[in-house]
Amino acid sequence: MRNVGSFALIVTIVISLYTAYSFYVGNKVRKGEKQQKAGNDGIIWQFASVTIASLVLFVAFITDDFSFGYVADHSTPQMSIFYKIAAFWAGHEGSLLLWLWMLTGFTALLAFLNRKNDRLTNIALYISNYIQLFFLITLLTATNPFRAVELGVPLTGVGLNPLLMHWAMVLHPPTLFMGYAGLTIPFAFAIAALMDRNASSDWVNRAHKWTLFAWFFLTIGIFLGALWAYVVLGWGGYWAWDPVENASILPWFVATALLHTFTMYRRRGGMKLWAVSLASLSFVMCILATFITRSGLLADVSVHSFPELKKDLTILFGGLMLVVGGLTAYLISIRSKEFETQEFFSDFLSKHFTYYLNNIALVAFTLIIAGATVIPPLFKKSLGVEFYNRLAEPLGILYLLLITICPYLGWKKTEGNNLLKQLAFPAGVAAIAAIPLYLEWGSNLIGFITMVVAVFSMTAILELFYLRARARAKSRGVGFASGLFSIFRFSRSQAGGYISHLGMAIMIFGIAGSMLYVQDIPASIRPQPGEAVWASNYEFKLKEFRQTTRPGQQVNHVVFEMRDRNDGYKLIREIAPKMVYHEVQRRQVLEAAIHYEPLRDIFVVFNGVDKQDNLLLNIKINPLISFVWIGSFILIFGSIIVMWPKAVAVTQEETAGAESGKKPARRRKGALAGAE
């Protein structure tokens, strides 16, 4: 079976080379439609052969075939089917195969839909084919998932890292790779447009939906990673500026800037060089993220990175980034005239200017984080959390203000008095909210300011919905609810963008509270029933300390009765943090117990026993953390609305045509088309 998997990858390389030749010849000869069609077919056949290779590895995990070294490293017969499937992408070999499979699937879909043999799409597939060839060569030479088992590895397998045995971590890598593979397509279209000297919005229209798709899955992946870190790692937080955490957010920042740039490109014909540059940078950040996680270069400073240093992966991924960066820079230098636009700002209070600030802020933040993540570890150093927080806190406030004010601005100029009038209500709400916020959260100035700005942002975005809905209702002579509904029906890009911004504001409100106002309460008690520790208004009275066994696990349970001191010591619930020793992996894992409340979480961790046999505990009170999760859901929901197919309004002429039996061409009604 191992030979079948390796042979399938070798066949894919042959097909990839044939595909590259077909596209090249088809582009050079006068009537190259036949060769271009062969190239499209080659892309589809690559997906088929990579699927066969992936199925071989999948079956090996399901059937416990430990002749595969990769299977032996990440699975055991005792693991459930769910975790055996997850073990497919637990290591760098399987995760890169998963990325390749997804990428070939996306390009195969693009080739299948390319029925008109479109020139721009053909060039994009030509570029994507070389990316696929790179991954094929990498898999066969540097990180082969079909290698034989090494001597000394147990015949029953080593098993999955216990920290990864959680549903959120099972889904986290595939969603991120969906984003990484998805961002390859906009990059390919950008290079295709440069090569073809095609500065029209044609490539943007094709790349936009792929960018949205990739951004959507990157958002979900980052959310799942944060959720996993919170409930599994036992430290009470969800983001620690770890190098691997930073790696996941770098392409997200650039993709966010790219989506905003596409709006300028499509609607105003501007920011063309920005668009092709950001499309390339987003792909480079995907490669960098993979490099950070899977090369092992940063293993000494990251709890998430793969432990062993892979020099061959380091060279390959580093070389790819240099090639992509060099190719993009070269093409931009020789195509700058075709993609040049006369960018001007008649007023600083304009959408034009805020879109530029948006890009500058996101790209600057990306490059600073990338440099701070990669460069210091090369010298066996690392920058602490404080560095990133000091950078993120003021930039987060300024960026939130930027995305809040932008929709109120005109494209070229905005009257300052009108802007102040429109923002007077949100500012008033924020000023009123500042009083209770200061009384409760005024101990930290930056946190207090962040919360006030977040309230201002939330109110301003909700006001936008009100103003747009009222205007639509008035223009059509319908009720307010109908006007609001029409925004979601006919202006989904606009409505989804507003909702995503609202989710961002809610999330930043929660981030400020959950990161800047955490109460950390270490405690030590004797292992005798009735012993108690107090945190906030709660008493944690020890009920029992017991040891149990599960298959392959030894579990220490610390069971507390959680009582409310402000309510006559009323029993709220039992809460039981655990410490689990996994015998096969020889690893000890903490299982935190979390009591969820609307405005805070009570997080309890059992850290073991000291030399005097006392139980060591750590209790954290995490305020407003629910706003982080709620804001994330709203952010994701907003992107779903943007991606949802747009409704087409039926005009009176169409209605009349239908009544007369004719079938006129459908067209958008201008008043209902909304913002793209």
Side-chain angles (χ1 to χ4, degrees):
M1 287 292 288
R2 290 189 300 103
N3 293 333
V4 173
S6 295
F7 181 72
L9 293 182
I10 293 172
V11 169
T12 311
I13 287 181
V14 175
I15 298 174
S16 178
L17 293 172
Y18 170 75
T19 302
Y21 172 78
S22 299
F23 278 129
Y24 178 78
V25 173
N27 188 51
K28 288 294 183 182
V29 300
R30 178 171 293 181
K31 294 182 178 180
E33 291 83 2
K34 184 177 179 180
Q35 290 86 351
Q36 300 282 14
K37 179 65 168 58
N40 277 266
D41 292 341
I43 291 289
I44 296 173
W45 279 111
Q46 286 182 63
F47 173 61
S49 57
V50 172
T51 299
I52 291 173
S54 301
L55 283 173
V56 168
L57 188 61
F58 176 80
V59 171
F61 272 108
I62 298 300
T63 60
D64 297 322
D65 188 346
F66 296 117
S67 66
F68 288 69
Y70 183 67
V71 175
D73 288 343
H74 298 285
S75 184
T76 63
Q78 291 76 28
M79 284 168 50
S80 67
I81 295 294
F82 182 64
Y83 289 121
K84 287 180 180 179
I85 295 173
F88 184 107
W89 49 80
H92 46 75
E93 299 99 322
S95 59
L96 292 181
L97 179 60
L98 177 67
W99 187 357
L100 174 63
W101 179 74
M102 289 178 174
L103 178 56
T104 56
F106 294 159
T107 55
L109 176 61
L110 195 60
F112 177 77
L113 297 175
N114 188 27
R115 294 168 184 158
K116 295 182 179 180
N117 208 23
D118 173 72
R119 175 179 172 81
L120 190 64
T121 303
N122 284 335
I123 300 175
L125 290 171
Y126 178 61
I127 300 300
S128 299
N129 178 70
Y130 281 111
I131 303 301
Q132 294 171 185
L133 182 60
F134 166 83
F135 277 104
L136 286 164
I137 293 172
T138 300
L139 282 167
L140 283 174
T141 60
T143 177
N144 192 342
F146 303 108
R147 59 180 170 80
V149 65
E150 297 177 2
L151 294 176
V153 176
L155 295 178
T156 55
V158 175
L160 195 63
N161 185 334
L163 291 174
L164 303 181
M165 298 176 74
H166 185 270
W167 69 267
M169 184 47 65
V170 170
L171 299 176
H172 167 68
T175 51
L176 281 183
F177 282 126
M178 289 281 276
Y180 294 168
L183 284 176
T184 308
I185 307 301
F187 160 71
F189 272 115
I191 298 299
L194 287 168
M195 293 176 64
D196 199 38
R197 300 179 184 271
N198 185 352
S200 71
S201 61
D202 191 21
W203 78 271
V204 173
N205 293 331
R206 298 161 196 248
H208 181 252
K209 53 190 171 185
W210 287 100
T211 309
L212 267 175
F213 172 85
W215 186 90
F216 171 74
F217 277 98
L218 282 176
T219 305
I220 294 177
I222 293 169
F223 165 73
L224 290 173
L227 182 65
W228 167 80
Y230 183 63
V231 301
V232 172
L233 293 185
W235 63 286
Y238 50 88
W239 193 269
W241 296 106
D242 181 272
V244 172
E245 294 172 353
N246 295 350
S248 68
I249 208 169
L250 293 175
W252 187 88
F253 280 140
V254 183
T256 302
L258 181 60
L259 286 171
H260 288 88
T261 302
F262 279 167
T263 299
M264 282 289 291
Y265 202 128
R266 298 164 73 190
R267 298 188 64 187
R268 312 299 295 184
M271 303 184 78
K272 294 182 178 181
L273 290 175
W274 267 104
V276 292
S277 300
L278 288 174
S280 180
L281 183 61
S282 65
F283 177 68
V284 169
M285 289 299 109
C286 292
I287 301 300
L288 179 63
T290 307
F291 165 80
I292 289 173
T293 308
R294 282 152 182 82
S295 68
L297 191 65
L298 307 183
D300 293 336
V301 294
S302 173
V303 298
H304 306 288
S305 181
F306 290 106
E308 73 277 13
L309 175 62
K310 298 283 292 182
K311 292 182 179 179
D312 41 10
L313 281 181
T314 301
I315 294 171
L316 285 166
F317 280 105
L320 179 61
M321 286 187 284
L322 289 175
V323 169
V324 170
L327 176 64
T328 304
Y330 171 72
L331 288 174
I332 286 176
S333 68
I334 64 174
R335 301 285 193 266
S336 58
K337 289 185 178 180
E338 289 89 341
F339 285 80
E340 186 178 8
T341 53
Q342 287 188 335
E343 315 289 3
F344 61 92
F345 309 113
S346 57
D347 197 292
F348 287 115
L349 290 177
S350 65
K351 276 190 172 71
H352 277 175
F353 186 64
T354 53
Y355 270 77
Y356 268 90
L357 288 180
N358 172 81
N359 280 8
I360 291 171
L362 287 174
V363 171
F365 202 33
T366 299
L367 295 178
I368 292 171
I369 292 177
T373 300
V374 175
I375 295 174
L378 297 177
F379 301 96
K380 304 299 181 182
K381 297 180 180 179
S382 63
L383 297 177
V385 174
E386 284 302 315
F387 168 81
Y388 295 102
N389 284 341
R390 287 174 183 172
L391 178 68
E393 288 163 358
L395 285 179
I397 294 172
L398 292 174
Y399 188 75
L400 187 56
L401 286 171
L402 185 67
I403 64 174
T404 301
I405 296 173
C406 182
Y408 286 89
L409 302 176
W411 279 107
K412 292 185 178 181
K413 190 174 182 180
T414 305
E415 291 294 333
N417 290 335
N418 291 337
L419 178 64
L420 291 176
K421 288 179 181 179
Q422 289 181 312
L423 294 176
F425 178 73
V429 171
I432 294 172
I435 299 173
L437 287 174
Y438 181 79
L439 294 175
E440 183 68 24
W441 313 102
S443 59
N444 187 300
L445 182 60
I446 193 71
F448 165 70
I449 294 173
T450 302
M451 290 181 177
V452 173
V453 171
V455 171
F456 168 76
S457 180
M458 286 184 264
T459 309
I461 294 167
L462 293 174
E463 184 188 47
L464 279 172
F465 276 111
Y466 171 76
L467 294 174
R468 300 292 190 269
R470 188 182 65 176
R472 284 174 176 262
K474 185 177 180 180
S475 65
R476 296 188 182 92
V478 297
F480 177 81
S482 297
L484 182 61
F485 176 74
S486 71
I487 298 176
F488 287 90
R489 188 178 181 189
F490 300 114
S491 298
R492 287 180 183 155
S493 294
Q494 185 184 71
Y498 290 168
I499 288 178
S500 295
H501 290 173
L502 178 64
M504 182 70 71
I506 294 173
M507 190 166 60
I508 288 177
F509 184 86
I511 289 172
S514 59
M515 282 192 167
L516 300 177
Y517 298 95
V518 175
Q519 296 181 47
D520 198 341
I521 307 169
S524 173
I525 61 172
R526 290 180 297 174
Q528 297 176 5
E531 291 289 312
V533 61
W534 294 268
S536 185
N537 58 302
Y538 292 117
E539 178 192 62
F540 296 88
K541 181 177 288 187
L542 182 63
K543 182 178 180 180
E544 62 176 329
F545 173 53
R546 69 177 188 271
Q547 294 180 333
T548 60
T549 58
R550 302 173 185 168
Q553 298 177 0
Q554 297 178 9
V555 186
N556 291 316
H557 306 256
V558 183
V559 184
F560 291 98
E561 292 180 343
M562 186 176 177
R563 298 179 178 273
D564 190 347
R565 294 192 292 171
N566 294 341
D567 192 13
Y569 286 87
K570 177 183 176 181
L571 178 65
I572 304 298
R573 56 169 290 195
E574 286 189 356
I575 191 166
K578 304 177 184 67
M579 178 177 286
V580 183
Y581 179 74
H582 295 260
E583 296 173 348
V584 175
Q585 295 87 352
R586 298 179 181 179
R587 293 197 62 170
Q588 196 158 260
V589 176
L590 304 178
E591 291 187 9
I594 308 174
H595 176 67
Y596 300 97
E597 295 181 354
L599 296 179
R600 66 178 185 176
D601 287 355
I602 312 297
F603 191 94
V604 185
V605 179
F606 170 49
N607 285 321
V609 180
D610 64 14
K611 294 180 180 179
Q612 288 75 38
D613 291 331
N614 294 320
L615 306 180
L616 301 177
L617 304 171
N618 191 48
I619 303 173
K620 290 180 182 288
I621 300 176
N622 297 327
L624 305 181
I625 197 167
S626 59
F627 286 82
V628 177
W629 314 129
I630 293 170
S632 299
F633 278 115
I634 294 174
L635 183 67
I636 294 168
F637 178 64
S639 62
I640 292 174
I641 292 175
V642 175
M643 290 191 296
W644 202 268
K646 294 179 174 62
V648 178
V650 180
T651 63
Q652 293 179 354
E653 292 84 356
E654 287 177 298
T655 305
E659 291 174 351
S660 64
K662 297 179 181 179
K663 192 177 181 180
R666 293 180 69 84
R667 56 174 176 162
R668 247 183 224 281
K669 191 173 181 181
L672 299 181
E676 292 295 331

